[in-house]
Amino acid sequence: MNEINEISTPKIIGKTTGRVIRPVAVSRARQNNFARRIFFVFTLVPVFLIVLVAVGLLIRSWPIFTAYPLFDLLFGKVWKPTDGLFGFWPFILGTFWVTAVGVILAVPPCVLTSIYLAEYAHAKTRSTAKPVLDLLAAIPPVVYGVWGLLAIVPFVDKALAPLSDRWLGSVSIFSVNQPTGFGILAAGIVLAVMISPLIISVMYEIFSTVPNDLRHASLAVGATQWQTIRNIILPQVAPGILAAIVLGASRALGETIAVLMVVGNIPQVPTSIFDSAYPLPALIANNYGEMMSIPLYDAALLSAALVLLIVILIFNVLSMLVIQRMLRRKWVS
């Protein structure tokens, strides 16, 4: 009987190892290799899409790059398409100003909230807070824009601007040059509220990855809960916190509708958080499809989209490099 089984079951002998390889193992290896190739292709799809979008924008904006030097486009301060002047510098600075104000306002409360939810809050509090955060993250940006228009702009105009002009007017970054309420601070507040649910959710998950053994060991040697958080948990999750901040800042860089409604949309180089600004996304959303009879206007707007894409990619790549360097230092130490 054993001889019949051995004859009826074909065997394949490996050329290098000499091991007996049955057809079932060969079939499984082929299936695994096929699945690995399929997953590899799907992994490359996002990279391919980014390259495709960048190439498409470059082709459509190439006429303006051939008509004007790149330096004049990026660092030009005058935007008058009817006169053939396409300076992107006010829009680039406006994008960074609004994003920086929004991130600065959002990060401290987000870190404290995530610490509370992960380390101090009761389970019922967490179960209530998580759906609320998800709900806030799901609100459409135009709703935040309307809220900013009806609540934040008057608040900045009637409360924050007079207070800053009275106590911090001598500092240029806090000086009030136009008393309308529409400006960088209003847009930054709206952005801070918009990106906070995302940052808090990511930070909360990061704090949850810290093993409880580290907390128990620290508490066992007499450390308080705050000392445990400050000396044990925060150093462990520092790269993750930075990654959450980068994720929120990336969303803030590309936000359009909510910022467009409250930022003022004046192409100027800002000098104060109360100045009006004109970020790149607002420029594209406001003007694309209009005045296309102006020479190179279409190419100028698409080149603005290309600049925004490159800025976001550079920002994310540099941030990932910083995170990887922090992780390497952590592993070495």
Side-chain angles (χ1 to χ4, degrees), residues 186-211:
I189 294 174
V190 173
L191 272 184
V193 175
M194 290 183 64
I195 66 177
S196 291
L198 175 64
I199 298 177
I200 293 172
S201 298
V202 175
M203 287 185 180
Y204 172 77
E205 298 298 332
I206 292 169
F207 277 101
S208 301
T209 61
V210 179

Side-chain angles (χ1 to χ4, degrees), residues 62-83:
W62 187 252
I64 198 170
F65 291 139
T66 57
Y68 297 92
L70 182 61
F71 183 87
D72 293 342
L73 291 174
L74 293 180
F75 297 100
K77 297 182 179 180
V78 180
W79 177 265
K80 289 185 177 180
T82 55
D83 297 336

Side-chain angles (χ1 to χ4, degrees), residues 22-327:
R22 298 186 181 276
V24 175
V26 175
S27 176
R28 291 177 60 183
R30 290 175 180 173
Q31 292 177 2
N32 289 335
N33 290 332
F34 178 75
R36 179 173 57 83
R37 293 190 182 98
I38 292 297
F39 291 142
F40 177 72
V41 171
F42 278 103
T43 303
L44 290 181
V45 168
V47 179
F48 174 74
L49 290 177
I50 293 175
V51 174
L52 186 64
V53 171
V55 171
L57 291 176
L58 180 61
I59 293 173
R60 292 291 302 275
S61 59
W62 187 252
I64 198 170
F65 291 139
T66 57
Y68 297 92
L70 182 61
F71 183 87
D72 293 342
L73 291 174
L74 293 180
F75 297 100
K77 297 182 179 180
V78 180
W79 177 265
K80 289 185 177 180
T82 55
D83 297 336
L85 299 176
F86 302 96
F88 291 134
W89 189 239
F91 306 101
I92 295 174
L93 284 184
T95 303
F96 279 110
W97 270 77
V98 172
T99 303
V101 171
V103 172
I104 291 173
L105 293 176
V107 168
C110 287
V111 173
L112 296 177
T113 302
S114 59
I115 290 175
Y116 171 75
L117 291 177
E119 304 297 331
Y120 291 100
H122 192 270
K124 292 183 179 180
T125 304
R126 295 193 192 103
S127 62
T128 303
K130 289 293 290 180
V132 173
L133 291 175
D134 296 336
L135 179 63
L136 290 174
I139 294 177
V142 66
V143 176
Y144 281 108
V146 173
W147 167 72
L149 190 65
L150 298 178
I152 302 302
V153 171
F155 176 69
V156 172
D157 183 26
K158 303 298 182 181
L160 296 183
L163 188 65
S164 178
D165 189 44
R166 179 179 179 183
W167 297 102
L168 300 172
S170 58
V171 182
S172 61
I173 196 175
F174 297 110
S175 60
V176 181
N177 301 318
Q178 53 93 21
T180 63
F182 291 90
I184 295 172
L185 182 58
I189 294 174
V190 173
L191 272 184
V193 175
M194 290 183 64
I195 66 177
S196 291
L198 175 64
I199 298 177
I200 293 172
S201 298
V202 175
M203 287 185 180
Y204 172 77
E205 298 298 332
I206 292 169
F207 277 101
S208 301
T209 61
V210 179
N212 286 326
D213 293 342
L214 294 177
R215 297 181 176 88
H216 297 159
S218 177
L219 296 173
V221 297
T224 63
Q225 190 168 4
W226 170 242
Q227 290 173 335
T228 301
I229 295 171
R230 184 183 60 189
N231 299 323
I232 304 298
I233 298 177
L234 287 179
Q236 292 285 329
V237 301
I241 291 177
L242 180 59
I245 296 172
V246 170
L247 187 61
S250 299
R251 181 184 175 185
L253 277 171
E255 187 53 53
T256 306
I257 297 300
V259 173
L260 182 151
M261 297 175 69
V262 298
V263 77
N265 302 321
I266 297 177
Q268 62 181 3
V269 176
T271 58
S272 169
I273 61 175
F274 292 96
D275 288 347
S276 295
Y278 210 159
L280 283 170
L283 169 69
I284 300 168
N286 260 341
N287 298 282
Y288 193 78
E290 298 180 2
M291 296 186 296
M292 290 296 107
S293 60
I294 299 176
L296 298 178
Y297 194 74
D298 178 73
L301 293 178
L302 291 173
S303 62
L306 179 62
V307 170
L308 180 63
L309 176 63
I310 293 174
V311 167
I312 293 177
L313 289 177
I314 292 176
F315 179 77
N316 282 275
V317 169
L318 292 178
S319 302
M320 291 301 105
L321 292 176
V322 172
I323 292 172
Q324 291 178 0
R325 186 172 182 180
M326 292 177 64
L327 289 174

